[in-house]
Amino acid sequence: MKITVNGESVDAEPGQTVAAVLLTNGHSSWRTTRVEGRPRGVLCGIGACYDCLVVVNGTPDIRACQRTVRQDDAITTQQGAVLPSSTVVQRAPATANRTADVVVVGAGPAGMAAALAAGDAGASVVLIDSAPAVGGQFNRQVAVRDERPERFQHGWKRFVAKRDRLVAHQRITHLAEASVWAFERGNRVWVQRGPADGVGREVFAVDAKAVVLATGAYDRVLPFPGWDLPGVYSAGAAQALAKGQRVAVGKRVLVAGTGPFLLPVAESLVGVGAKVVALLEANSVKTVRQGWATDPLVAKGKLSEALRYGVMLARHRIPLKHGWTVIAAHGEDHVEAVTIARLDAGWKPISGSERQVEVDAVCLGFGFTAQLELAVSARCGLTTGPDGGPAVTVDADQQTTTPGVFAAGELTGIGGADLAAAEGRVAGTAAAHHALAAATPDASAPLCAPLPHETASDVRTSCTKSADAARTKVKEGRRFAAALAKAYPVRDGWQSWSGPDTVVCRCEEVTRGDIEGAVAERGVADGRGLKLTSRAGLGLCQGRVCSRTVAAISSNGQNDVPEPSMKRPIAVPVRLRDLAEAQEEL
Ligand SMILES: Cc1cc2nc3c(=O)[nH]c(=O)nc-3n(C[C@H](O)[C@H](O)[C@H](O)COP(=O)(O)OP(=O)(O)OC[C@H]3O[C@@H](n4cnc5c(N)ncnc54)[C@H](O)[C@@H]3O)c2cc1C
Ligand code: FES
């Protein structure tokens, strides 16, 4: 298909995102910031950071990494803050509200498993995800033509079987390209459905007897001078672009951060033709070994995977350097080089070890942060996950502290796709039970109701067995998560990589000096006060990228878990006009 970029005709493939088209056509930035006019392109690649805003057919503030191209789309770069063109008037169609026994938000490994378990247990299910296809971050489906989609996907056949069962399931309705922007008491979720960030999307509510939140996580990226230059990506962005769009973020790429996730990222990058110049793991070999040694059984189970990645690194001559990281990025409008340095045990750079490396892209990942907005809106209690980050508190049935609201996957603590799927199965079964029991006055509705062609006893037995097996997997998965956090901790020394002029809040362009000034000079102590005085966290990304960093800087490294008050009741930005029109229609 043909689209235009700043008036020039370019070829695009159905399924490509605007960001993928722009990157393959040589653009790494397509927006300037509101305050200082800094160039911006992709950072997170999954719709969390709002760095990649672009104008599509006259409508500004469209996330290029989320919007798939349509024939004749006119893409233009966005300079500063742009007001919508008054000629773009497209009223949102009135759409009837829906009901379901169980609504599942998020169709990644956790949400898919929850939807299938709830459907199998006899509940009607609405599964909602903002992406065009199910799979989430782990089972990202390739959006462009590819004869061998399994090349970048571990467990692809297993995923396809699950996906096909989900599509054919008579009790499950999947709503794609549908964002849940608010949770209302009484288990009502508000949805906008249609092309990402477009005007005129359907607005409707789904009322359910139980809700499963499975909204996943996004990469944690730590600030250093130059980290807001185009060409600095999160590791997940590089992975999403390679896996979903077959796009390499650069020709000479450096991967840095901490955790085993960096290994599949390096593998995907070479798979799409990039030269990975090095993989820098910030933790020392000793820390990693000691961490895994806390649970040797778990470590043994991961040995073959580690060996496979070792062979991959050797084959592609990718040096793996433990105890090193990137402490600065250099370039005018794009990364041209980075400074790397050896770190001491607390992650402070060792003086004299600094070296410059020429690259055109750098991919960073220091673990993940759970996507908590909807859980906070639903007043779910929060706890600290195994990695020290914020997570949703759940009981043995994955029920949160809000009755009828369940949570599964990265939201309850970072632990990978297998744990997410196991938690999803438990949550889906329990949510169905909650919903069906609520509908029956004597609360004796069967946990696993039969489908029309099945006998009640067969289904009940197999369903209960499956939930029990999932609980065992959850226990195993949590052991893995605990060992993972010990093997790949994030040490406080990262705070020494940035200076007073380093931007911390990318949306509002608030520097580290601004935040420290608000704390020292104005005596601001709480997260909300800090947000209102410094503006850090007030921008479109709602503090997703910076709130842990701001919490750490303002508490002098004592705490990197932002207060819930740092979060907003609206889970994703919505246009006021859409809300006003929805009010009239509903
Ligand atoms: C960018 C990225 C890439 C990753 N790639 C890999 C990988 O290749 N290998 C690996 O082992 N691990 C990977 N991970 C780690 C990954 O998070 C887990 O392994 C796994 O996907 C977690 O499953 P989940 O179901 O909890 O969440 P996810 O898979 O993240 O699924 C959450 C889903 O919720 C949807 N969602 C969130 N909020 C809303 C909302 N308000 N409305 C509607 N939908 C919403 C999202 O679109 C997403 O599809 C990646 C993580 C990230 C952030
Ligand atoms: S790169 Fe598109 S929102 Fe982050």
Side-chain angles (χ1 to χ4, degrees):
M1 69 168 77
K2 289 277 181 204
I3 66 166
T4 60
V5 175
N6 288 335
E8 269 184 38
S9 177
V10 300
D11 290 323
E13 264 194 65
Q16 273 191 305
T17 59
V18 172
V21 175
L22 289 167
L23 286 166
T24 38
N25 282 281
H27 302 266
S28 68
S29 67
W30 44 83
R31 173 171 89 90
T32 54
T33 58
R34 189 169 51 83
V35 184
E36 303 220 349
R38 295 172 198 255
R40 291 285 160 80
V42 165
L43 172 69
C44 75
I46 60 162
C49 75
Y50 286 76
D51 251 18
C52 64
L53 300 178
V54 72
V55 182
V56 179
N57 303 328
T59 303
D61 296 335
I62 307 262
R63 286 166 296 169
C65 71
Q66 296 299 289
R67 172 67 147 79
T68 41
V69 286
R70 265 74 171 166
Q71 176 73 31
D72 298 328
D73 269 348
I75 314 293
T76 42
T77 44
Q78 181 163 330
Q79 308 297 328
V82 178
L83 289 173
S85 148
S86 58
T87 57
V88 182
V89 178
Q90 199 182 336
R91 204 177 168 79
T95 310
N97 289 346
R98 296 170 182 243
T99 55
D101 290 326
V102 177
V103 65
V104 179
V105 186
M112 284 178 76
L116 282 168
D120 290 348
S124 61
V125 180
V126 170
L127 171 64
I128 306 173
D129 199 297
S130 45
V134 296
Q137 305 308 344
F138 184 71
N139 293 122
R140 180 173 290 278
Q141 296 189 58
V142 58
V144 291
R145 256 172 301 158
D146 192 319
E147 301 301 318
R148 289 172 49 220
E150 71 284 359
R151 270 191 309 148
F152 292 74
Q153 304 269 359
H154 301 295
W156 177 249
K157 277 197 184 140
R158 221 174 42 215
F159 162 69
V160 168
K162 236 185 218 181
R163 180 195 64 191
D164 294 350
R165 194 161 89 74
L166 196 135
V167 169
H169 206 296
Q170 53 186 290
R171 290 184 181 134
I172 302 174
T173 307
H174 169 221
L175 304 181
E177 285 196 315
S179 292
V180 174
W181 54 271
F183 178 98
E184 205 177 304
R185 212 179 282 211
N187 292 342
R188 164 174 276 203
V189 295
W190 282 97
V191 183
Q192 269 198 310
R193 190 175 186 208
D197 303 329
V199 287
R201 286 180 290 165
E202 297 171 71
V203 179
F204 57 94
V206 184
D207 291 303
K209 296 180 190 116
V211 175
V212 180
L213 298 176
T215 48
Y218 42 86
D219 293 81
R220 186 175 185 196
V221 181
L222 301 171
F224 51 72
W227 77 300
D228 65 332
L229 272 175
V232 176
Y233 298 87
S234 74
Q239 182 74 333
L241 282 159
K243 258 175 138 174
Q245 302 282 328
R246 300 295 189 257
V247 168
V249 292
K251 291 193 174 76
R252 280 179 59 81
V253 186
L254 192 133
V255 178
T258 189
F261 175 53
L262 302 179
L263 293 163
V265 172
E267 186 178 42
S268 299
L269 280 166
V270 292
V272 286
K275 163 88 189 139
V276 177
V277 296
L279 193 162
L280 307 184
E281 165 55 60
N283 280 297
S284 65
V285 174
K286 188 173 157 206
T287 305
V288 174
R289 278 210 186 121
Q290 282 176 345
W292 286 122
T294 57
D295 199 332
L297 216 61
V298 166
K300 208 171 146 206
K302 293 285 166 189
L303 213 58
S304 62
E305 217 175 311
L307 283 175
R308 198 181 67 72
Y309 282 120
V311 171
M312 180 276 295
L313 292 177
R315 209 173 76 219
H316 296 285
R317 297 172 187 225
I318 302 172
L320 168 61
K321 289 164 81 77
H322 281 85
W324 283 78
T325 202
V326 174
I327 56 163
H330 315 281
E332 206 45 52
D333 294 329
H334 186 95
V335 172
E336 290 160 21
V338 289
T339 300
I340 64 170
R342 184 184 275 282
L343 302 176
D344 67 16
W347 283 24
K348 287 205 171 117
I350 296 171
S351 178
S353 68
E354 299 87 349
R355 279 171 32 193
Q356 278 218 1
V357 183
E358 277 182 28
V359 291
D360 61 357
V362 52
C363 305
L364 305 163
F366 292 88
F368 297 96
T369 299
Q371 185 122 333
L372 291 170
E373 290 76 14
L374 286 172
V376 170
S377 299
R379 294 166 194 264
C380 302
L382 300 185
T383 181
T384 304
D387 64 340
V392 177
T393 306
V394 285
D395 65 13
D397 285 337
Q398 300 292 134
Q399 186 161 212
T400 68
T401 53
T402 303
V405 178
F406 298 77
E410 305 289 51
L411 202 55
T412 69
I414 306 303
D418 290 346
L419 174 59
E423 287 190 352
R425 266 159 70 195
V426 174
T429 309
H433 185 53
H434 181 95
L436 298 177
T440 314
D442 65 1
S444 61
L447 175 58
C448 301
L451 294 169
H453 59 282
E454 293 164 326
T455 67
S457 59
D458 289 348
V459 176
R460 197 184 158 88
T461 311
S462 68
C463 172
T464 309
K465 268 191 191 156
S466 150
D468 286 346
R471 272 183 229 279
T472 309
K473 287 253 176 233
V474 169
K475 276 194 196 131
E476 286 168 14
R478 291 205 177 136
R479 278 178 59 182
F480 167 71
L484 182 76
K486 286 184 188 124
Y488 301 97
V490 174
R491 304 286 189 205
D492 276 356
W494 64 262
Q495 291 200 49
S496 62
W497 309 344
S498 56
D501 296 336
T502 308
V503 167
V504 169
C505 166
R506 299 165 68 105
C507 298
E508 293 294 309
E509 296 165 81
V510 181
T511 63
R512 183 190 174 122
D514 296 332
I515 295 163
E516 286 172 337
V519 175
E521 288 151 31
R522 301 198 213 169
V524 182
D526 66 303
R528 192 176 155 72
L530 197 60
K531 186 161 77 173
L532 296 177
T533 46
S534 73
R535 297 192 64 82
L538 265 186
L540 274 175
C541 97
Q542 304 171 291
R544 286 189 183 95
V545 179
C546 72
S547 60
R548 287 182 77 179
T549 303
V550 172
I553 291 174
S554 59
S555 68
N556 217 1
Q558 299 302 302
N559 174 25
D560 69 3
V561 178
E563 298 160 27
S565 65
M566 291 286 279
K567 301 280 171 188
R568 294 178 178 182
I570 303 285
V572 289
V574 276
R575 289 189 174 79
L576 288 175
R577 188 175 65 182
D578 288 348
L579 287 193
E581 285 172 2
Q583 176 76 20
E584 284 168 25
E585 304 281 359
L586 297 168

